[in-house]
Amino acid sequence: MHRFGILGTGRIGGMHAGLVAAQQDAAVTWCFDIDPSRADATAARVGGRATTKVDEVLQADDVDAVLIASPTNTHVELILRSAEAGKPILCEKPIDVDLAKVEMCREKLEGFNVPLQLGFNRRYDLSHRAVQQAVASGEIGPLELLVITSRDPGPPPPREILEACGGLFRDTTIHDSDMARFILCGDEPVEVFAMAENRVDPVFAELGDVDTAMITMRSKSGALVHINNSRRTSYGYDQRVEAFGAEGMVRSNNCRPSETVRYSSTATASREPLLYFFIERYKAAYEAEIRDFIDCLKAGKAPNVTFEDGRRALILSEAARRSESHAQPRTSNGYFVHLGIIQLDGGSNAVYLFSEGL
């Protein structure tokens, strides 16, 4: 039996607590939150104890692992405190929105031998995983094009969440950056270019953020990746991945409550709406993520989604953010030239070289 302490019991933490408690070989023994009412409610639901003190969880004899689902700006502190306490860690993405803090955290973690898994749940979605497996197996030939669509339903999140989340690229696109790396199967991106606009709600511009973006990447081998993001869809949570090669194409489509299709003399269509948002769309993936973490702990294996995966996804998302902020057109002999192509070293270092290109 693996006993978990949940650090952060908001919407995502409360969901995680329920999924952990549903496992036959796991239990939630402690729930921490700075809001005592949230901690109490989650603890009562899963049969644990509530606290507003992190140390009470980290020093507890009946906590074998922690799941960090607190606000992003607390992740680094809680990762390091949990590692110091010797507790294996499953941490929601991102590690942090500040790459310097992530690098500091990586350096300090070298002093601890504690398993740490990053919460990139989309890797555990069966449809997306099938796309990755088709690429890895060579089913479609060498990958030539990868298209990732990720669009959130409106209205936008509350302002206080937007102020703390780190912006579109580091909050939303980071999932897509990780998905790109996952499907590229080690063929790391070496160039990033992004353009963005404010098309959804004035609040994003007021906060110095964007709400609509397109990102293009080139991998070491020359595979091209396109990511498109929006903070608004009128039709539900839009999540699609398409991989294309010389031998064919494989695609993961949107999910619906059922696959009912109606036929008539005038139309053939599915009338089921898309699932609303990430908890509904990725519930099974979240559970598979937790299951994989527990199985790795039981087997004494390193987690399959690592701190380094979180770091590299942030590098790509930060490169997209920097690219967009430098993509100011200027004229040159009658042509528009954009600044903002970010070149990466394709390895473990975050090297940003701003170059010019059409």
Side-chain angles (χ1 to χ4, degrees), residues 211-271:
D211 51 48
T212 307
M214 286 190 171
I215 302 103
T216 303
M217 302 181 185
R218 187 197 311 273
S219 75
K220 282 183 179 180
S221 74
L224 300 180
V225 180
H226 167 82
I227 296 170
N228 68 88
N229 291 147
S230 175
R231 288 282 196 179
R232 172 187 60 202
T233 62
S234 61
Y235 51 85
Y237 195 38
D238 192 356
Q239 297 283 293
R240 290 169 282 139
V241 176
E242 177 182 296
F244 172 84
E247 303 300 322
M249 177 185 75
V250 60
R251 181 175 63 203
S252 60
N253 291 323
N254 282 315
C255 292
R256 302 174 187 271
S258 78
E259 291 302 315
T260 302
V261 179
R262 290 175 169 81
Y263 297 82
S264 72
S265 60
T266 58
T268 300
S270 170
R271 301 196 180 186

Side-chain angles (χ1 to χ4, degrees), residues 308-326:
E308 184 63 13
D309 289 317
R311 175 179 172 270
R312 292 199 185 194
L314 181 64
I315 288 172
L316 292 178
S317 295
E318 176 67 7
R321 188 186 70 84
R322 294 191 185 193
S323 171
E324 191 277 328
S325 68
H326 284 76

Side-chain angles (χ1 to χ4, degrees), residues 28-296:
V28 176
T29 50
W30 284 91
C31 294
F32 158 81
D33 201 286
I34 59 172
D35 182 340
S37 63
R38 282 205 305 249
D40 288 342
T42 302
R45 181 164 53 86
V46 297
R49 285 181 282 181
T51 182
T52 57
K53 298 177 181 179
V54 172
D55 285 341
E56 197 164 8
V57 178
L58 298 181
Q59 295 171 9
D61 292 334
D62 58 347
V63 171
D64 304 309
V66 296
L67 194 156
I68 300 174
S70 53
T72 297
N73 61 4
T74 67
H75 287 183
V76 166
E77 177 190 354
L78 292 178
I79 285 171
L80 293 175
R81 290 175 68 178
S82 300
E84 186 176 9
K87 307 294 186 183
I89 304 157
L90 173 54
C91 181
E92 262 298 333
K93 67 81 195 171
I95 302 166
D96 196 85
V97 299
D98 183 342
L99 190 55
K101 287 183 66 176
V102 173
E103 299 291 11
M104 175 274 292
C105 186
R106 179 174 70 150
E107 182 177 340
K108 290 189 175 183
L109 281 174
E110 292 176 357
F112 303 103
N113 184 26
V114 173
L116 190 156
Q117 177 173 317
L118 251 291
F120 286 121
N121 61 292
R122 296 182 193 183
R123 290 182 178 226
Y124 294 93
D125 177 78
L126 293 179
S127 297
H128 297 338
R129 185 171 284 266
V131 174
Q132 190 268 349
Q133 290 169 346
V135 172
S137 68
E139 177 185 331
I140 62 170
L143 182 66
E144 296 174 1
L145 295 172
L146 176 61
V147 180
I148 301 173
T149 296
S150 184
R151 304 170 186 162
D152 292 353
R159 188 184 183 99
E160 59 269 21
I161 292 179
L162 294 177
E163 289 175 341
C165 75
L168 178 76
F169 291 111
R170 295 176 295 189
D171 177 48
T172 296
T173 310
I174 194 166
H175 269 301
D176 308 305
S177 298
D178 180 69
M179 184 56 54
R181 292 190 62 249
F182 179 54
I183 296 174
L184 285 167
C185 302
D187 184 18
E188 295 287 344
V190 293
E191 286 187 322
V192 179
F193 177 74
M195 298 186 75
E197 277 291 344
N198 292 104
R199 307 283 293 178
V200 175
D201 192 295
V203 68
F204 295 103
E206 292 168 11
L207 295 173
D209 193 13
V210 293
D211 51 48
T212 307
M214 286 190 171
I215 302 103
T216 303
M217 302 181 185
R218 187 197 311 273
S219 75
K220 282 183 179 180
S221 74
L224 300 180
V225 180
H226 167 82
I227 296 170
N228 68 88
N229 291 147
S230 175
R231 288 282 196 179
R232 172 187 60 202
T233 62
S234 61
Y235 51 85
Y237 195 38
D238 192 356
Q239 297 283 293
R240 290 169 282 139
V241 176
E242 177 182 296
F244 172 84
E247 303 300 322
M249 177 185 75
V250 60
R251 181 175 63 203
S252 60
N253 291 323
N254 282 315
C255 292
R256 302 174 187 271
S258 78
E259 291 302 315
T260 302
V261 179
R262 290 175 169 81
Y263 297 82
S264 72
S265 60
T266 58
T268 300
S270 170
R271 301 196 180 186
E272 294 282 354
L274 301 185
L275 295 173
Y276 175 65
F277 207 9
F278 65 95
I279 287 180
E280 295 88 349
R281 169 64 175 82
Y282 288 117
K283 182 178 179 181
Y286 279 117
E287 183 167 14
E289 170 186 77
I290 289 169
R291 184 68 259 158
D292 186 48
F293 179 63
I294 294 171
D295 288 344
C296 286

